[in-house]
Amino acid sequence: MKYVSTRGQSPAVSSAEAILQGIAPDGGLYLPQDIPLLSAKEWGAVRGMDYNETACLVLSKYLDDFSKERIAGCVAAAYAPERFPGGPAPLVTLNNGVHMLELWHGPTCAFKDMALQLMPRLFVAAKDMLGDKRRALVLVATSGDTGKAALEGFRDMPGTGVAVLYPDDGVSDIQRLQMTTQQGDNVAAAAMHGNFDTAQSAVKAVFADTELGAELTAKGVHLSSANSINWGRLVPQIVYYVYACAQLQRQGLMEPGQKADICVPTGNFGNILAAYYAKRMGAPIGMLLCASNANKVLTDFINTGSYDSGRDFYKTLSPSMDILVSSNLERLLFLLSGGDGAYIASLMRQLSEEGRYTVNGTVRQALAESFAAGWCDDDGTSAEIGEVWRRLGYLLDPHTAVAYRVAAKLADCAPILVVSTASPFKFAPDVLTALGQPWTGDAPGAVTALGTATGVAPPLQLTGLSALPQRHPDELDPTQIGDWVRTLSGTLM
Ligand SMILES: *Cc1c(COP(=O)(O)O)cnc(C)c1O
């Protein structure tokens, strides 16, 4: 299967090449030329499969240049029980019949692990398949969950190193602790003075620095990124939608012929796009409900056909959805336009020059056939956490609470699956406040307090944090990043 660019100007490549390259040379995103289908026979088989078997089947359809053995090896290592003690994607049905797909049982307690435990293994395999002997330094700017998940994912991966920059005033205390205590021999993390944009600009400047690039090349090192535009991050996410639908049928929670609506708390549009791929493969999925927080640029787009990033930016209780330019939307637009690269390139040009674009009638109609959208502000988020806890005894994190509330507003009578993207303990201080017990102590204390208040056991990945040694106390100014990268490239791998 060949991978093409959304902007239509780059040669088609194999999946291994798409994963190694990340972004296409024409600035577009890679996606498979055709969407593979699951036959009726395969679908029948999926209902009897466990998570890893489902992953092997789905991945082998997209990564057809990888041998089955390679895929199986990557999957077994990524989703091993010691990494996902509660299973990779447990389905929990609440007393009111709503199904929660919990994707946060991995090492960092957020759904980014589902992709970032597997993607580094696919990346290393792709390097091997293509005979690429260079070492890869993976550089990530993060405002939250991605940084820690990338550190855990690339930790001790041969031939790679990973370096994460986060804004010193832009991550929660728990997220900061998770990064400063990161273990492994090829990892680094530093706080950058400034906000997320400062960190992201600093990383972009490193990629654009040709002198530094030449120095690194001479040392046999190339810079790479692990952000969610890489196909290797998207493809693992398709798996859990196929798996969840099969579970619903297997457990008799959905009749044959019925379709589930799925509500996804959305930021960069990767997770919900994976659900769309699962639907197009033939999984019994009805509408995809896109849930936004106050940064509701996607909700407005789905409801009006106009994408407008020129608006105020809000810091919300669900920081991983605080995004005004959702990069993965570009892939959906390409699919809905029937693969019109020139059209997508023109939309993206308008976005970068004017901050906005409006899609044509064809795309608008195709969008309305599969997507609906809603949003919820911080007051609504807090209220939902409190209500769902009191009524149903189920704890929501703020991101999942946004989706839960939107699902309640938009759902009709179909079975509804709400995607749960983070452990509530990762946002313990805000969740305590939502439960009417404001917390004034430190963040690790809030994790314990939330456990005591609710009788729900906090994940071990979070309770042990304050006892771990601080390994990455570095703080940097944007001007220091070049030297930081130079030092790392000499010592990391
Ligand atoms: C990243 C993230 C999201 C948003 O997912 P996208 O794929 O970027 O749309 C939602 N919730 C949590 C907890 C996240 O970490």
Side-chain angles (χ1 to χ4, degrees):
M1 176 177 303
K2 282 297 180 190
Y3 282 71
V4 294
S5 162
T6 47
R7 307 214 183 155
Q9 295 296 312
S10 301
V13 297
S14 68
S15 78
E17 287 167 323
I19 289 170
L20 264 199
Q21 281 185 35
I23 195 154
D26 62 4
L29 278 56
Y30 283 118
L31 39 63
Q33 207 155 25
D34 303 298
I35 299 180
L37 294 175
L38 285 173
S39 66
K41 187 166 158 236
E42 282 169 327
W43 184 254
V46 168
R47 282 200 290 265
M49 288 181 181
D50 65 16
Y51 192 84
N52 286 8
E53 289 165 339
T54 311
C56 289
L57 174 69
V58 172
L59 290 168
S60 66
K61 299 238 167 213
Y62 285 96
L63 313 179
D64 59 355
D65 48 336
F66 286 63
S67 71
K68 293 223 157 57
E69 294 69 39
R70 256 192 215 277
I71 290 178
C74 290
V75 165
Y79 302 118
E82 65 268 24
R83 292 173 193 279
F84 289 85
L91 196 63
V92 175
T93 300
L94 307 183
N95 287 337
N96 61 354
V98 172
H99 309 292
M100 306 297 298
L101 180 61
E102 294 184 349
L103 301 177
W104 42 261
H105 291 270
T108 79
C109 301
F111 97 99
K112 302 284 191 296
D113 289 328
M114 299 300 293
L116 275 164
Q117 280 299 311
L118 185 58
M119 182 266 191
R121 296 170 209 281
L122 298 175
F123 183 88
V124 170
K127 259 159 59 77
D128 185 45
M129 285 159 60
L130 298 172
D132 185 335
K133 300 269 184 279
R134 297 172 300 171
R135 292 167 302 157
L137 177 55
V138 177
L139 203 54
V140 182
T142 178
S143 60
D145 294 328
T146 303
K148 175 64 180 179
L151 288 165
E152 274 299 325
F154 279 96
R155 163 181 181 179
D156 298 328
M157 276 294 132
T160 75
V162 54
V164 170
L165 275 175
Y166 57 91
D168 61 359
D169 68 350
V171 299
S172 78
D173 291 342
I174 292 178
Q175 287 171 326
R176 177 191 307 270
L177 252 185
Q178 282 186 305
M179 291 190 273
T180 55
T181 57
Q182 177 65 44
Q183 294 175 304
D185 290 333
N186 63 339
V187 296
M192 167 128 311
H193 297 134
N195 59 21
F196 174 63
D197 287 332
T198 324
Q200 184 146 52
S201 308
V203 165
K204 284 192 181 149
V206 169
F207 277 98
D209 185 337
T210 46
E211 197 184 318
L212 177 59
E215 256 179 66
L216 295 176
T217 303
K219 289 196 226 165
V221 173
H222 78 120
L223 284 177
S224 191
S225 90
N227 57 26
S228 76
I229 58 171
N230 191 304
W231 180 254
R233 277 203 45 195
L234 204 97
V235 69
Q237 300 184 256
I238 303 170
V239 175
Y240 46 74
Y241 291 108
V242 172
Y243 177 75
C245 291
Q247 292 306 304
L248 286 176
Q249 289 188 341
R250 179 153 101 179
Q251 295 174 27
L253 298 167
M254 187 161 79
E255 303 297 326
Q258 254 189 331
K259 289 179 173 175
D261 290 344
I262 301 184
C263 188
V264 187
T266 297
N268 221 354
F269 211 76
N271 204 0
I272 194 167
L273 181 69
Y276 181 70
Y277 268 94
K279 178 178 159 83
R280 292 279 301 263
M281 291 181 81
I285 295 171
M287 291 300 282
L288 299 169
L289 312 179
C290 173
S292 312
N293 62 24
N295 297 297
K296 60 186 179 62
V297 62
L298 284 166
T299 297
D300 291 344
F301 170 65
I302 290 170
N303 290 329
T304 67
S306 290
Y307 194 98
D308 188 352
S309 65
R311 58 175 74 206
D312 289 340
F313 175 82
Y314 301 105
K315 278 183 119 175
T316 73
L317 294 176
S318 42
S320 296
M321 296 155 68
D322 291 346
I323 289 177
L324 291 181
V325 177
S326 291
S327 8
N328 265 300
L329 185 61
E330 182 171 344
R331 283 194 172 104
L332 179 70
L333 297 173
F334 182 83
L335 293 171
L336 299 183
S337 72
D340 188 346
Y343 177 58
I344 302 308
S346 81
L347 292 181
M348 293 303 125
R349 207 173 314 116
Q350 287 174 49
L351 181 63
S352 72
E353 285 167 8
E354 296 154 33
R356 65 173 70 191
Y357 59 79
T358 299
V359 295
N360 63 30
T362 314
V363 172
R364 181 99 202 263
Q365 196 185 340
L367 192 61
E369 277 165 21
S370 294
F371 290 86
W375 71 287
C376 148
D377 64 11
D378 277 354
D379 287 344
T381 306
S382 258
E384 201 66 46
I385 294 172
E387 266 168 44
V388 170
W389 173 249
R390 282 188 298 273
R391 277 198 299 126
L392 300 163
Y394 185 78
L395 261 192
L396 298 167
D397 97 282
H399 304 77
T400 311
V402 169
Y404 191 95
R405 196 167 183 94
V406 168
K409 250 188 275 178
L410 295 181
D412 49 22
C413 47
I416 175 96
L417 190 69
V418 175
V419 177
S420 174
T421 50
S423 161
F425 288 93
K426 199 161 180 181
F427 301 92
D430 291 332
V431 173
L432 275 169
T433 304
L435 298 183
Q437 306 185 28
W439 178 253
T440 50
D442 64 2
V447 172
T448 316
L450 182 58
T452 312
T454 58
V456 179
L460 295 175
Q461 301 93 303
L462 296 180
T463 47
L465 273 183
S466 46
L468 292 174
Q470 293 279 326
R471 299 187 68 220
H472 309 283
D474 297 0
E475 290 181 21
L476 298 178
D477 280 318
T479 51
Q480 296 171 301
I481 184 172
D483 285 333
W484 190 60
V485 168
R486 271 186 196 90
T487 313
L488 294 178
S489 68
T491 58
L492 272 177
M493 298 154 284

